[in-house]
Amino acid sequence: QQKVPNGTQGIKLCRLLCRRPKKHYLPLWNNEDPYGDMWVADKPQAPVDVDVSKLTSLGQLEMTWRSRVHFHPLLVRVLHKSRLRYYGKPEKKMDMPYQAYFEVADGSGMMSMVLWNSLCPEWYNSVKVGTVLLLEQYAIKTSYPFKTLPTPGDSQMKRFATIEISLNVRDPPTKISIIPEEMVKPEWGLPEVKYRFITRSELDDLPNNHSCDVIGLVTFVGRAERARKREHGEDFWLYRWAHAIDGTSDQPFILELFATSQPDVFEHIHPMTYLVCTQMRVVRDLTDNPSSTIYLTTSNESQIFITGWHKGQPYTKDTKVKNFIQWTKTQSEADQMKKTVIGGYYPFPRPPNNFLKYCKNNKVESVLKAIGETGKEIEDLHYREHKRIAVQGIISAIRYVSCSNAAEEASGVELVQVQCLRINAIALKFSVFIIDQEGMSDVPETEETGRTCDSWQSDLWAQAKDKLMKYLHHSTIFPESIPRKFDYVHKDLLMQQYNLHAAVHQPKETRTDKNIDEFKSASGLGYYEVTVLGINHDVAIDVAFLPLFCPEDPHLFQLEDIQNDRLLSCMSCISACQQKATSNGRLCDMFPLSNEIVEAAMDLDGKHVVCILDICHLGDDKVEVFLSKIYKTMEPGVLDPV
C-alpha cells in the first residue's frame, strides 16, 4: 500500500494490491468496498435444472462430512451477508485476498458459507440476502472460531456451528448457480428470510448489544469520515452518522453507519429517503449515565438500503415495515423537509461524564497529550480522518465569533472571523437594560475584568500571552464544518460535498457552480474561540466550540449536560436561545458572552482541566479542531471527585 505525503491527501494514489501489475486495485479510502470493473454487478440468471433426488442437506453434511471427500449438491437460501474482508499483506503475493461470509439455510438449519478470493469479484454483488443458491463441488472445513455471527430472525432455527461451506476456484473448483425466485418451489422447504424490526418507541427498553433491524425516514446524514482500525495502522474504517424517524417517538434513531461493502448505497444516503438498516447493535452504557443517548451501530453482517433499492427485498413483507409505509403516507413532505440537515461537524457520541470512564474507553496513555504535541497530531492526520484526543491545560480566554450569512457568502474558501453588526446591537441593547435611572452603568470596566461584550480573558492569560514559546491557532471554522439545511433540488451537490473525494476523476463540466456557502446553516449564529493555556504557561492553543441547535428539530443535536460541564452547557444554551429568537423574527436580547458564561469560565480560572478535542482533516490544508468536553481536575492527573 502506498501512502500519500501530507499536503496531497486529496489526490491519494491508487494502491496496487500486489507486485504483479494489473491484477486489481483497492478502493481509494477503505479496504471493504468493491472497486473496479472486475467486480461484477449482477450475474446473468438462467434456468437451472434442480434434481432434488441428488441433493443433500446441511444437517446431513454435519453428520457425514468427515467420512466424505466429495459432497452432493446443496440447495440453500441466503439469510445473512457480511461485508467484504480484505486480508492482503504486502509481503504475500496473492491475487485476490478477499473473503465474505454468508449464513445460508435449508429445511434442516443454518450454516456459514465462505466465498474466497477471486470468487468474490465474480459473485459477491450477486449473492444477496434472500437469494437461493445451488452449490456443487464445494469443500467443507472446520469453522473459524473467532468470526462474528449474526442474530437469526428465527430464534428457533438450528445453527450448525462446527463446520462451514468453503467456495473457491480450486480444490475443488466450486460451481455456483442462482435460482430465480420465480422458480423456487414450496416443496423444497427453504426457509423465508425473517427480520427483527423494532420501532423507535421500543428502542429505549433494549439492552446493550441487542441485535435489531430498523426502518425510518432520514432527517439528518453526516459527512463521511474515517477512523484508523489500529492506532498506528495504515487501514481505515469509513463511517457516517444518520438520524431517522418512524413516527412512534419524538426521538430519532441515531445510527452509526460503517461501510458495508455497498458503496452505491452508502454514498447516496440523504435526508427524505427511506432507510433500512439490518443487523444493527444497540449501544448504551447505563453505568455511566442513565440518561445518555442510546444509538445503533452496524455489525459485520449489517446491510443498508435506501429508496430505489427496496424493490424485491425480503423485508418489504414485514409487518413493521408496512406500518412505517402507512405512517409516511400521513405525513406532510413540506413539514418534514423543514427538519432535514446534511453534513457538518457532529459531536457524537459525547465523551462520558467521568474522566475515568473516558480513560477506560480509550488508551489514555496514548491519548492524553501535551498542548505542544497537538501540532504533530494534526499534521499526522489523513484525509477525513477523525480523531478524539485529550489535552491538559487551563481555560484562559473565550471570544464569541459570529457566523453571519453575509460572512459565509463573502468567503469562498473559509469562514472569516467577522463580528456581525447584530452583536453590537445586542450589546448596546443589553447595556441599556442594565443602566439605572440615574444614568450610572452597572457594566464592569473592561480593565478590571478582562471582559468586553464578546470576549473574556483571565488575569493569568493577560500575564502569559506575550511570553509564550508556542501559540497554536486552530479555531477557524470551515464551510465543511457547518451542518446545512437540506435542499432537494441540489441534493447531488450536497451529497458530493459531504462524501469523500471521488475515486474516479470527474470532469469539471459535470459539476455545478453553486457554492456550499450558499446553503443555509442549520447550526447557531456563531461559535466560540476558546484559548487553552499549557499547565507550564509557555504554550497555548486556540480551539473552537460550535454550539449546535436546530430550532425546527430540537432533537437533532443534543445540548450538553448542564450539571456536568457548565461552561460548554452555558455556551450551548445561550446560542440556542439566540437562534430561537432570531428565527422567530425577534432581535435576540441575549448577550453573546452572557454573565452565565463568564461566571462558568471564572469558576475554571487558573484550574487545571482536561479538554477533549475532536480533530478532523477536511482536505487540502484545512483541519478543524473542536472543543468537545471539559473535565475538572484538582491537580494534574487527579480527578475532581465532585
Side-chain angles (χ1 to χ4, degrees):
Q1 296 184 4
Q2 187 172 4
K3 287 294 180 184
V4 174
N6 286 334
T8 59
Q9 295 177 24
I11 322 170
K12 184 179 175 186
L13 301 174
C14 291
R15 295 171 288 165
L16 192 59
L17 178 67
C18 59
R19 295 175 184 174
R20 288 171 289 175
K22 298 182 181 178
K23 286 294 180 181
H24 112 276
Y25 292 87
L26 288 169
L28 196 56
W29 304 120
N30 70 0
N31 288 346
E32 282 71 43
D33 289 342
Y35 172 76
D37 295 337
M38 66 184 308
W39 290 84
V40 180
D42 273 305
K43 296 282 288 186
Q45 294 187 7
V48 180
D49 183 25
V50 179
D51 187 347
V52 180
S53 65
K54 295 182 179 180
L55 297 178
T56 188
S57 70
L58 298 177
Q60 290 171 330
L61 274 180
E62 188 192 45
M63 292 186 293
T64 62
W65 73 280
R66 290 185 183 276
S67 61
R68 289 180 175 272
V69 177
H70 302 289
F71 304 100
H72 293 297
L74 273 172
L75 189 65
V76 292
R77 187 187 295 276
V78 177
L79 301 187
H80 301 282
K81 178 179 181 178
S82 77
R83 67 164 67 97
L84 284 167
R85 175 177 173 262
Y86 168 79
Y87 62 95
K89 304 289 183 183
E91 65 275 9
K92 291 186 177 180
K93 296 181 179 181
M94 186 174 291
D95 291 346
M96 295 291 161
Y98 276 103
Q99 68 168 199
Y101 278 93
F102 300 81
E103 298 299 318
V104 298
D106 60 14
S108 64
M110 181 170 68
M111 186 181 293
S112 293
M113 177 186 82
V114 191
L115 196 64
W116 286 99
N117 303 330
S118 58
L119 284 184
C120 287
E122 183 179 0
W123 287 98
Y124 181 79
N125 289 329
S126 300
V127 179
K128 304 175 175 66
V129 172
T131 300
V132 174
L133 300 174
L134 179 64
L135 305 176
E136 303 172 80
Q137 298 174 206
Y138 51 88
I140 297 293
K141 295 183 178 179
T142 303
S143 288
Y144 179 64
F146 303 111
K147 74 172 185 292
T148 60
L149 292 173
T151 303
D154 182 358
S155 60
Q156 304 301 314
M157 179 171 289
K158 185 174 182 179
R159 185 194 291 273
F160 304 112
T162 58
I163 59 174
E164 61 189 24
I165 305 162
S166 182
L167 310 184
N168 215 323
V169 290
R170 60 182 68 88
D171 301 326
T174 302
K175 181 180 178 183
I176 306 172
S177 302
I178 293 179
I179 309 297
E181 188 61 33
E182 61 272 15
M183 293 183 59
V184 176
K185 299 178 180 179
E187 55 265 30
W188 293 348
L190 297 178
E192 295 295 321
V193 180
K194 293 186 178 180
Y195 293 88
R196 296 161 57 91
F197 278 96
I198 63 162
T199 63
R200 180 58 184 85
S201 62
E202 297 170 327
L203 175 59
D204 292 331
D205 297 325
L206 298 179
N208 183 60
N209 207 39
H210 181 85
S211 177
C212 59
D213 311 311
V214 296
I215 183 171
L217 174 69
V218 176
T219 54
F220 163 76
V221 61
R223 67 191 179 202
E225 295 182 346
R226 303 195 299 155
R228 292 181 195 256
K229 293 183 179 180
R230 298 174 186 83
E231 186 172 354
H232 300 293
E234 295 290 313
D235 295 330
F236 290 84
W237 293 115
L238 175 61
Y239 68 97
R240 70 194 324 162
W241 290 92
H243 287 196
I245 58 174
D246 68 357
T248 66
S249 169
D250 58 357
Q251 296 287 337
F253 287 113
I254 300 180
L255 308 168
E256 183 182 33
L257 304 177
F258 286 88
T260 55
S261 303
Q262 299 171 281
D264 289 344
V265 177
F266 185 85
E267 294 175 3
H268 289 86
I269 303 172
H270 62 78
M272 299 301 292
T273 192
Y274 298 166
L275 175 67
V276 168
C277 304
T278 65
Q279 289 293 310
M280 302 293 284
R281 301 285 175 174
V282 175
V283 180
R284 68 186 313 163
D285 189 350
L286 296 178
T287 62
D288 173 45
N289 181 8
S291 63
S292 63
T293 306
I294 189 172
Y295 68 95
L296 300 173
T297 188
T298 48
S299 66
N300 192 52
E301 294 80 27
S302 290
Q303 297 275 282
I304 57 176
F305 302 94
I306 55 175
T307 304
W309 296 80
H310 299 311
K311 186 176 181 181
Q313 298 294 343
Y315 56 74
T316 56
K317 304 172 186 176
D318 189 274
T319 301
K320 287 185 177 176
V321 172
K322 293 179 179 178
N323 291 341
F324 167 78
I325 298 300
Q326 288 302 314
W327 171 77
T328 61
K329 294 178 180 178
T330 68
Q331 300 301 297
S332 164
E333 182 177 6
D335 289 344
Q336 295 295 353
M337 274 293 296
K338 293 177 183 177
K339 304 176 182 178
T340 55
V341 175
I342 187 170
Y345 168 63
Y346 181 67
F348 195 86
R350 293 284 192 182
N353 285 341
N354 184 283
F355 185 57
L356 284 176
K357 183 68 175 179
Y358 178 85
C359 297
K360 182 179 178 181
N361 293 347
N362 303 272
K363 294 180 180 177
V364 73
E365 67 274 6
S366 63
V367 177
L368 188 59
K369 304 291 180 182
I371 289 178
E373 298 175 344
T374 55
K376 183 66 165 59
E377 289 289 324
I378 291 170
E379 181 182 334
D380 289 344
L381 287 175
H382 283 239
Y383 171 61
R384 284 284 179 91
E385 179 183 359
H386 176 271
K387 195 172 185 180
R388 183 166 275 178
I389 62 173
V391 298
Q392 197 169 28
I394 304 165
I395 303 296
S396 300
I398 302 173
R399 186 165 70 96
Y400 181 83
V401 182
S402 169
C403 289
S404 67
N405 288 334
E408 291 183 19
E409 292 170 3
S411 173
V413 179
E414 63 186 46
L415 299 183
V416 291
Q417 297 183 345
V418 178
Q419 297 301 324
C420 178
L421 292 177
R422 183 188 296 114
I423 302 307
N424 294 329
I426 294 170
L428 179 61
K429 183 175 180 182
F430 181 84
S431 63
V432 176
F433 286 171
I434 60 178
I435 295 178
D436 61 24
Q437 293 180 350
E438 297 180 2
M440 298 297 291
S441 173
D442 290 334
V443 178
E445 294 182 12
T446 302
E447 290 79 6
E448 295 180 4
T449 64
R451 177 181 178 183
T452 66
C453 69
D454 57 9
S455 69
W456 165 86
Q457 67 176 18
S458 67
D459 292 338
L460 177 60
W461 178 243
Q463 299 167 12
K465 62 183 178 181
D466 295 327
K467 304 174 184 177
L468 298 174
M469 297 177 61
K470 183 185 292 185
Y471 191 1
L472 305 173
H473 300 280
H474 289 290
S475 61
T476 302
I477 301 289
F478 301 96
E480 296 92 334
S481 303
I482 305 297
R484 306 282 174 177
K485 298 298 293 180
F486 183 64
D487 183 344
Y488 211 94
V489 175
H490 297 96
K491 69 179 178 67
D492 291 335
L493 171 65
L494 287 167
M495 285 191 293
Q496 180 189 74
Q497 175 68 35
Y498 294 114
N499 278 318
L500 301 174
H501 287 315
V504 179
H505 172 68
Q506 294 179 336
K508 192 170 183 178
E509 57 268 22
T510 65
R511 301 173 187 167
T512 178
D513 292 331
K514 194 171 178 67
N515 195 293
I516 190 64
D517 295 328
E518 299 176 45
F519 295 95
K520 182 181 177 182
S521 168
S523 62
L525 298 172
Y527 65 97
Y528 296 88
E529 178 185 86
V530 180
T531 301
V532 185
L533 180 66
I535 57 178
N536 293 325
H537 306 172
D538 57 349
V539 297
I541 185 172
D542 289 336
V543 298
F545 174 73
L546 181 65
L548 297 176
F549 182 79
C550 183
E552 293 88 358
D553 186 3
H555 303 294
L556 181 60
F557 303 118
Q558 304 291 325
L559 295 181
E560 191 71 24
D561 180 357
I562 198 165
Q563 294 180 343
N564 184 261
D565 199 335
R566 187 182 171 207
L567 178 58
L568 301 191
S569 300
C570 288
M571 291 193 291
S572 292
C573 292
I574 294 300
S575 296
C577 293
Q578 278 185 318
Q579 187 173 2
K580 269 187 174 179
T582 306
S583 64
N584 291 334
R586 300 192 303 271
L587 177 64
C588 176
D589 57 6
M590 195 69 66
F591 205 33
L593 213 64
S594 68
N595 289 334
E596 293 90 342
I597 293 175
V598 174
E599 289 172 4
M602 292 179 69
D603 183 53
L604 298 175
D605 193 0
K607 296 180 180 178
H608 291 177
V609 297
V610 174
C611 296
I612 306 302
L613 305 181
D614 285 334
I615 59 177
C616 186
H617 196 299
L618 301 177
D620 300 323
D621 58 351
K622 295 180 290 187
V623 178
E624 65 181 21
V625 181
F626 283 116
L627 177 59
S628 179
K629 187 76 174 177
I630 300 173
Y631 294 111
K632 293 181 182 179
T633 60
M634 296 179 65
E635 57 186 54
V638 180
L639 300 177
D640 187 337
V642 179

